Amino acid sequence: MKLSFGFGTGTQEVEVPEENLMGVLHANEVETGLTGEAEVRRALSEPIGSSRLRDLVKPGEKVAIVTSDITRPMPTWTVMPALLDELYAAGCVPEDITLVFALGSHRRHTEEERKHLAGERAWAEVSCVDADAADCVHMGTTKAGTPVDITRVVAQADRRICLGNIEYHYFAGYSGGAKAIMPGVSTRAAIQSNHSMMVRPEACAGALESNPLRMDIEEAGAVCGIDFIVNVVLSEHKEILRCVAGDAVEAHRAGCAFLDTLYLKELPRAADIVLVSQGGAPKDMNLYQTQKALDNARHAVKQGGVIILIGSCKEGMGERVFEEWMTTASSPDAMIERIGRDFQLGGHKAAAIAMTLKKAQVWLVSDMEPEFVRSIFLEPWPSAQAALEAAFAKLGPEAAVLAMPYGGSTLPRVADHK
């Protein structure tokens, strides 16, 4: 069977023998009703675990709406018109509403980027600002020792509303929910304290109550106080398929459950070979972004198997600390040991790749120089077809192959969880 994988703005074509192909992972077919803005309005009228927002917020209260930055696919511009209408129905005035872009550890936006994210109506009606990690208020500390230091405009608001999109996250379990607060509008020190738990085996994609890192995020959210969330689940083409609104935990759990019906893929057994791609540009512009697909593929491959990672990475590594860790480590084990004693953002993705390398070989089909790829413990291949043929030569002609053309979205789960 001929398969196509996104590769930059083009594709990589691979011929896989029918008898070897375990499956091709795409989103499941699910019943959807309303989509886009209409679905957002429905969710706001049917909140989960909460009163309607118009009944919670009082006239004169300062409202901070926390939403994702430019690195996330959250369509804030689609959500904001319905959300503003709900707040105005509560008696709010535009002067009391601030839209805050949660930067986490990322760079500040340009004015054009803030305008694009907010959408024309919100940009025209309310204040739209970036979170400022240098101007935070200490609100408490979690049981795990994470300081809840929150950007001032959010900390001092009377009401806090968190927006986000829900997708699988390789150590927080899922995105969305209280993640808008921690790490969204927190300090770098707070983020490092929380994210240092990523090395625990329970901190993995698809895990919630068993995940110590996610529990710490939600405790930080509770310390800060989240009055309401509006989270969306997106299709592979970034259309809003489902919106959940209401309580920061209950509504988030409902969104996660819907995500599972869409993207969780149960497998009867692990594969010998996994072909995986982020789906092409812009998601595979660098290895820092492409790693997400690699981590999901880790859940599907047998111990000692081969993951063929297909991603252009034409911009190279994509993050300074990540590159430093990958290029200076003496071995993958050294990166895992380092993250345990010296957690650094950027280094966390290097450690995640190292943990994958403990399970399987990673063969990379990219635009990066072969010698450089070898220097970061990956094996370079000129094409996905050449890599697959070499994998069959290594693992045998009967090796089972799994294809993940949108590896960042679909999460495989093997029946025996091994």
Side-chain angles (χ1 to χ4, degrees):
M1 176 181 285
K2 181 168 281 190
L3 302 177
S4 182
F5 295 83
F7 183 84
T9 56
T11 59
Q12 284 275 330
E13 307 294 328
V14 188
E15 190 80 40
V16 182
E18 293 267 6
E19 60 271 22
N20 295 85
L21 187 62
M22 281 177 57
V24 181
L25 302 194
H26 287 283
N28 299 312
E29 291 291 328
V30 297
E31 284 288 325
T32 57
L34 299 172
T35 59
E37 185 179 335
E39 168 62 4
V40 176
R41 292 186 182 276
R42 180 209 59 77
L44 287 169
S45 71
E46 302 172 3
I48 298 167
S50 169
S51 301
R52 280 193 72 157
L53 192 56
R54 64 178 61 186
D55 299 321
L56 286 175
V57 179
K58 302 294 184 285
E61 290 183 327
K62 298 291 185 184
V63 178
I65 303 169
V66 183
T67 195
S68 304
D69 73 353
I70 197 75
T71 68
R72 302 288 185 258
M74 170 64 194
T76 304
W77 55 88
T78 303
V79 171
M80 284 302 293
L83 184 56
L84 288 174
D85 286 346
E86 189 75 5
L87 288 170
Y88 295 158
C92 288
V93 294
E95 294 76 21
D96 287 337
I97 302 170
T98 304
L99 179 61
V100 183
F101 299 107
L103 298 182
S105 61
H106 304 151
R107 66 164 175 82
R108 297 182 68 81
H109 293 115
T110 65
E111 183 173 329
E112 278 304 305
E113 286 172 335
R114 292 200 310 277
K115 183 176 181 180
H116 164 70
L117 290 171
E120 288 188 13
R121 181 175 164 191
W123 183 256
E125 294 180 17
V126 303
S127 176
C128 302
V129 303
D130 282 342
D132 184 357
D135 182 23
C136 285
V137 175
H138 181 67
M139 303 183 78
T141 306
T142 69
K143 290 191 290 289
T146 299
V148 185
D149 297 328
I150 305 300
T151 197
R152 187 172 300 277
V153 67
V154 176
Q156 294 184 341
D158 299 303
R159 299 288 180 178
R160 286 172 281 273
I161 302 167
C162 291
L163 312 187
N165 74 293
I166 299 176
E167 58 188 1
Y168 294 113
H169 189 279
Y170 67 104
F171 58 76
Y174 299 77
S175 62
K179 244 178 137 279
I181 296 295
M182 172 71 67
V185 291
S186 305
T187 61
R188 194 173 182 92
I191 298 167
Q192 291 194 355
S193 174
N194 172 263
H195 285 14
S196 65
M197 287 183 268
M198 68 166 284
V199 295
R200 301 190 192 180
E202 303 88 358
C204 62
L208 287 166
E209 276 79 5
S210 62
N211 186 333
L213 192 146
R214 164 54 72 171
M215 291 297 99
D216 192 57
I217 286 171
E218 293 185 346
E219 187 183 346
V223 169
C224 173
I226 301 171
D227 294 282
F228 202 84
I229 69 166
V230 184
N231 279 186
V232 299
V233 176
L234 305 177
S235 72
E236 290 174 336
H237 305 292
K238 304 310 173 193
E239 178 186 33
I240 295 174
L241 291 182
R242 181 64 57 89
C243 182
V244 291
D247 180 78
V249 175
E250 284 189 53
H252 180 252
R253 294 295 185 273
C256 294
F258 177 77
L259 185 83
D260 285 348
T261 68
L262 194 62
Y263 293 125
L264 186 66
K265 310 295 292 191
E266 299 283 358
L267 301 177
R269 65 189 189 283
D272 299 295
I273 302 165
V274 179
L275 288 157
V276 64
S277 162
Q278 269 282 59
K283 288 185 169 185
D284 70 346
M285 66 173 58
N286 54 53
L287 188 59
Y288 193 78
Q289 298 297 330
T290 304
Q291 177 273 338
K292 183 177 180 184
L294 173 63
D295 205 82
N296 283 351
R298 174 170 64 95
H299 298 285
V301 72
K302 283 182 181 175
Q303 189 72 36
V306 172
I307 298 173
I308 299 171
L309 180 61
I310 302 163
S312 166
C313 304
K314 66 178 180 180
E315 295 184 7
M317 298 295 281
E319 204 273 342
R320 180 187 58 79
V321 176
F322 173 58
E323 182 166 0
E324 185 266 320
W325 278 53
M326 291 292 294
T327 56
T328 62
S330 58
S331 67
D333 282 342
M335 289 186 278
I336 296 170
E337 184 275 332
R338 182 177 179 183
I339 201 73
R341 60 175 166 79
D342 176 30
F343 183 88
Q344 292 184 41
L345 294 166
H348 70 299
K349 288 224 175 187
I353 289 176
M355 288 189 280
T356 300
L357 287 167
K358 297 282 284 182
K359 186 176 186 183
Q361 291 187 37
V362 178
W363 295 1
L364 180 64
V365 179
S366 75
D367 288 323
M368 293 199 289
E369 288 295 323
E371 282 307 310
F372 179 78
V373 172
R374 290 188 189 94
S375 77
I376 57 172
F377 314 107
L378 310 180
E379 187 167 331
W381 287 90
S383 70
Q385 186 66 51
L388 179 63
E389 290 167 6
F392 279 132
K394 174 183 172 61
L395 298 174
E398 296 180 359
V401 180
L402 183 73
M404 299 175 61
Y406 296 95
S409 297
T410 48
L411 178 65
R413 185 167 66 187
V414 176
D416 60 7
H417 291 261
K418 290 180 182 176

